[in-house]
Each structure stands twice: as C-alpha cells, then as structure tokens.
Amino acid sequence: MNDVLQRLAELLEQRKQADPQSSYVAKLYAKGMDSILKKVGEEATETILAAKDGDAQHLIYETADLWFHTLVMLAHAGLNPQQVLDELARREGLSGLEEKAARSKE
Ligand SMILES: N=c1c2ncn([C@@H]3O[C@H](COP(=O)(O)OP(=O)(O)OP(=O)(O)O)[C@@H](O)[C@H]3O)c2ncn1[C@@H]1O[C@H](COP(=O)(O)O)[C@@H](O)[C@H]1O
C-alpha cells in the first residue's frame, strides 16, 4: 500500500481509542456512521463543484477531503484501504465491459 495511505489508515485505527475532545476523527467516530456518511456526501458535492470551477488546486484539495472522509468511513466499518486497492487490482485484468457483465451476474 502507498506509504501515506498506510500511515493514515494506522492513525485512523489508533483514533478509535482517542478522546473526541482532542481529535477530529475520534469526534466523527463518536457521532456515528450516519454523521460520517453525511460528511462523505458533503465532500463529494464540494468535489463536484470544484471540478466544475476549473481551479486545479481547489479540485485536489476537495478530492483529498473526500478521500480522507471515505477512509474514516471504511475504518468505522472495520475495513481498510488495502481491501479497496485489492478490488481495483482485481479489476485491472478486466475491461470495463467484462466488469459490467460480471456485475450483472451477481
Ligand atoms: N487528513 C485529514 C483531514 N482532511 C480533512 N480533515 C478535516 O475535515 C474537515 C473538513 O470538513 P469541512 O471542509 O466541512 O470543514 P469544517 O467545517 O471544519 O468541518 P466540520 O467541523 O463541519 O465537520 C475539516 O475539519 C478538516 O480539518 C482532516 N482531518 C484529519 N486528517 C488526518 O487525520 C489525522 C488525525 O486527525 P485528528 O483526529 O484530528 O488528530 C490528521 O493527522 C491528518 O493526517
């Protein structure tokens, strides 16, 4: 896994024991999955708006916020980024149409 993702995933695990008063992530965990998902939705909307405004730095910043909140979501669900990377790796060998056909059989 990419070093930054690995370090962040480890930090997000450690934050499950942290005081919500001293940590943004611990505060999000304490609020629960619905609040985390609300942040994911807000950050997705902000990313879309940034993609449309044509400012590359703004788009990078908002995408980082979106990725970060999806990592918090995965951690709260007991999952880690490696599992998502493994799924992307599995798809590497398939064309988009093959992937679509495999999904329709599920
Ligand atoms: N990468 C991030 C990161 N990206 C974004 N954010 C926070 O996500 C929030 C983004 O939400 P908004 O843009 O809506 O801003 P906001 O109005 O302040 O957000 P809310 O308080 O309304 O939720 C901001 O508060 C940012 O500070 C992050 N907070 C933490 N991290 C990483 O997580 C680690 C642990 O953080 P703590 O738990 O706070 O120690 C940090 O060391 C960082 O590596």
Side-chain angles (χ1 to χ4, degrees):
M1 196 187 334
N2 169 282
D3 286 352
V4 175
L5 270 183
Q6 175 80 42
R7 285 196 300 274
L8 189 50
E10 286 170 9
L11 196 56
L12 296 183
E13 278 308 303
Q14 290 166 12
R15 288 297 191 262
K16 289 181 178 176
Q17 321 300 331
D19 178 0
Q21 305 282 1
S22 64
S23 155
Y24 175 76
V25 174
K27 194 171 162 190
L28 268 183
Y29 288 148
K31 286 183 180 171
M33 189 56 118
D34 282 356
S35 294
I36 295 169
L37 297 178
K38 187 163 174 273
K39 286 302 296 182
V40 171
E42 287 170 10
E43 299 304 343
T45 302
E46 286 170 17
T47 301
I48 290 166
L49 294 174
K52 290 177 79 74
D53 80 12
D55 177 342
Q57 200 52 48
H58 188 203
L59 179 55
I60 291 167
Y61 185 92
E62 294 299 346
T63 303
D65 273 357
L66 176 60
W67 285 17
F68 168 71
H69 284 89
T70 61
L71 292 173
V72 174
M73 173 193 72
L74 289 173
H76 193 67
L79 301 171
N80 66 66
Q82 185 60 54
Q83 289 167 281
V84 178
L85 294 175
D86 289 347
E87 173 60 18
L88 288 173
R90 185 191 68 78
R91 295 178 191 178
E92 268 182 335
L94 300 173
S95 71
L97 289 177
E98 285 168 334
E99 174 62 21
K100 192 171 178 171
R103 281 171 195 224
S104 66
K105 287 184 197 145
E106 283 172 5

